[in-house]
């Protein structure tokens, strides 16, 4: 039995942002450091601070985060205000990654308040930062609190929601790759983590709507995926060959796209390499949500993707996936060129 630390406070509902002050007061966290994303709508900050004021919560510092540099996090750590009781991250990826890492360094409770749900990073046990310019996943702790205001997330661009849908759906192929690694390399599979990961996707698939209910299900599912990673101590339940392809694109593409758009399309493609068990599920979800339509509106580069598929197996040491089984380049080329569902998703 291992000790894991999971969120104790979870509020995923309309109006949750304005109640954050109340949640903090109940937990005795009165002195906070708040990191927000650059360009956050002023109404979001105003709602947060009004709630703080009503409950007597002090934001010792309210800092806007433009970058996710490890060097900045380390410097901020050395100049933290004294007697802080919590770190709060509000907004998107970079602010949340910085806040999570800073809380981890300072051993302070962390409250994640994503204002859009474009990926599973808000509740994962790693912080995605850059170190000397290179992207790194650094160990961190899960948040103590996850507060998602579904109204706020619904007012964010729909493309961010579709990215979250893509990141969530990719868990189906990630878990398949994990099981392949068990069969071919005897890599142990944590059954509970795999089950949790799989179950969350299916729960969302039953109601993949862009409304308060769909947003609540997506937030819950992405959060539980982060917890699945914490349970097994690896990224296996959330990340397989589709993530390797996306990482390869991030490193080589002239214009990398949203993480979830890349992993969603990659997940659909690798589902076919994996024998097609999940292909219909993914296709159904992507048609129903308008995911494919959004990709067609700004298609990917076919050449960049083929290069990324070649590069992907060497991205992570000792990470067995379907791409390790055989050279898949020819198959991927045929899928991109001939699969009717992908028509218009790639430039020729
Ligand atoms: Zn992801």
């Amino acid at each position: 039995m291992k000790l894991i630390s999971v969120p104790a406070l979870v509020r995923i509902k309309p109006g949750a942002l304005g109640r954050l002050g109340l949640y903090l007061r109940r937990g005795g966290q009165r002195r906070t450091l708040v990191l927000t994303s650059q360009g956050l709508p002023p109404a979001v900050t105003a709602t947060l601070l009004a709630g703080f004021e009503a409950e007597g919560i002090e934001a010792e510092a309210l800092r806007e985060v433009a970058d996710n540099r490890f060097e900045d996090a380390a410097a901020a750590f050395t100049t933290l205000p004294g007697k802080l009781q919590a770190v709060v991250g509000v907004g998107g990826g970079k602010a949340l990654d910085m806040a999570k890492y800073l809380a981890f360094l300072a051993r302070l409770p962390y409250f994640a308040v994503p204002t859009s749900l474009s990926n599973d990073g808000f509740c994962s046990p790693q912080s995605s930062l850059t170190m000397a310019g290179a992207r790194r996943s650094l160990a961190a702790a899960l948040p103590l609190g996850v507060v998602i205001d579904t109204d706020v997330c619904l007012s964010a661009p729909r493309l961010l929601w579709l990215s979250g849908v893509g990141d969530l759906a990719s868990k189906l192929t990630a878990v398949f790759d994990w099981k392949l690694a068990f069969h071919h390399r005897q890599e142990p599979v944590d059954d509970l983590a795999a089950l949790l990961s799989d179950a969350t996707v299916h729960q969302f698939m039953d109601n993949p709507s862009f409304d308060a209910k769909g947003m609540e299900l997506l937030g819950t599912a992405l959060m539980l995926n982060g917890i699945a990673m914490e349970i097994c101590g690896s990224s296996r339940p959330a990340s397989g060959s589709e993530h390797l392809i996306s990482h390869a694109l991030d490193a080589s593409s002239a214009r990398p796209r949203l993480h979830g758009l890349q992993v969603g399309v990659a997940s659909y493609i690798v589902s076919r390499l994996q024998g097609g068990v999940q292909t219909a599920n993914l296709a159904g979800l992507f048609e129903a949500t308008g995911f494919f339509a959004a990709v067609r509106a700004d298609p990917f580069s076919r050449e960049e993707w083929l290069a990324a598929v070649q590069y992907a197996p060497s991205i992570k040491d000792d990470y067995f996936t379907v791409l390790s089984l055989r050279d898949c380049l020819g198959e991927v080329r045929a899928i991109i060129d001939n699969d009717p569902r992908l028509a218009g998703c790639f430039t020729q």
Side-chain angles (χ1 to χ4, degrees):
M1 190 68 77
K2 57 194 158 198
L3 273 178
I4 59 166
S5 145
V6 296
L9 178 123
V10 179
R11 295 288 186 279
I12 306 178
K13 60 179 187 179
L17 180 70
R19 296 170 67 84
L20 178 62
L22 173 68
Y23 307 146
L24 289 164
R25 179 178 62 71
R26 284 181 185 155
Q29 284 109 4
R30 287 184 178 277
R31 292 170 60 89
T32 64
L33 169 73
V34 181
L35 299 189
T36 64
S37 288
Q38 206 175 33
L40 204 60
V44 169
T45 320
T47 303
L48 175 96
L49 291 179
F52 273 30
E53 199 179 324
E55 299 294 337
I57 303 299
E58 296 165 42
E60 288 304 310
L62 185 72
R63 295 186 194 159
E64 213 177 59
V65 173
D67 234 320
N68 58 337
R69 289 159 28 98
F70 165 80
E71 294 81 357
D72 293 346
F77 172 58
T78 61
T79 57
L80 280 181
K83 296 186 180 151
L84 279 179
Q85 292 169 313
V87 178
V88 179
V90 187
K94 288 176 181 170
L96 299 189
D97 276 310
M98 289 290 269
K100 191 199 292 178
Y101 196 66
L102 206 48
F104 175 70
L105 288 179
R107 300 288 186 265
L108 285 168
Y110 166 54
F111 288 77
V113 189
T115 53
S116 61
L117 296 175
S118 61
N119 60 60
D120 65 11
F122 66 85
C123 185
S124 71
Q126 298 104 30
S127 282
S128 178
L129 302 180
T130 62
M131 202 184 260
R135 183 190 159 282
R136 300 282 292 272
S137 266
L138 302 177
L142 289 188
L144 173 70
V146 173
V147 177
I148 302 174
D149 190 322
T150 49
D151 283 341
V152 172
C153 291
L154 280 167
S155 68
R158 190 187 170 102
L159 196 61
L160 297 175
W161 179 76
L162 289 172
S163 174
V165 170
D167 200 21
L168 179 66
S170 75
K171 311 318 176 196
L172 296 176
T173 46
V175 170
F176 192 99
D177 275 329
W178 197 7
K179 292 178 178 169
L180 273 184
F182 169 72
H183 289 300
H184 290 269
R185 291 280 170 87
Q186 289 74 52
E187 186 176 322
V189 170
D190 184 309
D191 293 325
L192 180 65
L195 190 74
L196 195 58
S197 182
D198 228 36
T200 58
V201 189
H202 288 285
Q203 204 174 22
F204 176 71
M205 278 176 169
D206 289 342
N207 192 343
S209 51
F210 186 68
D211 57 16
K213 184 69 189 165
M215 197 61 82
E216 182 194 328
L217 285 173
L218 182 63
T220 306
L222 291 171
M223 177 188 71
L224 289 174
N225 249 281
I227 292 173
M229 284 189 257
E230 173 79 1
I231 288 174
C232 67
S234 92
S235 59
R236 276 291 190 181
S239 167
S241 48
E242 74 297 317
H243 272 70
L244 297 181
I245 293 173
S246 176
H247 294 327
L249 284 168
D250 287 340
S252 61
S253 170
R255 181 169 64 92
R257 311 293 168 80
L258 285 168
H259 172 77
L261 296 184
Q262 293 183 169
V263 295
V265 170
S267 185
Y268 176 77
I269 291 172
V270 302
S271 77
R272 293 201 45 196
L273 302 177
Q274 291 171 341
V277 185
Q278 299 290 0
T279 304
N281 275 334
L282 288 163
L285 178 66
F286 289 168
E287 297 292 358
T289 52
F291 178 92
F292 279 140
V295 173
R296 279 181 207 115
D298 184 16
F300 291 113
S301 153
R302 177 180 180 275
E303 291 316 309
E304 284 185 358
W305 271 65
L306 293 176
V309 167
Q310 266 183 303
Y311 178 39
S314 58
I315 289 268
K316 252 186 185 179
D317 287 340
D318 208 24
Y319 205 78
F320 192 92
T321 70
V322 68
L323 301 176
S324 323
L325 273 180
R326 56 186 188 270
D327 181 354
C328 296
L329 185 63
E331 288 168 79
V332 172
R333 186 183 292 118
I335 293 167
I336 287 179
D337 290 347
N338 304 320
D339 188 315
R341 291 190 184 109
L342 294 178
C345 290
F346 291 87
T347 54
Q348 287 307 310

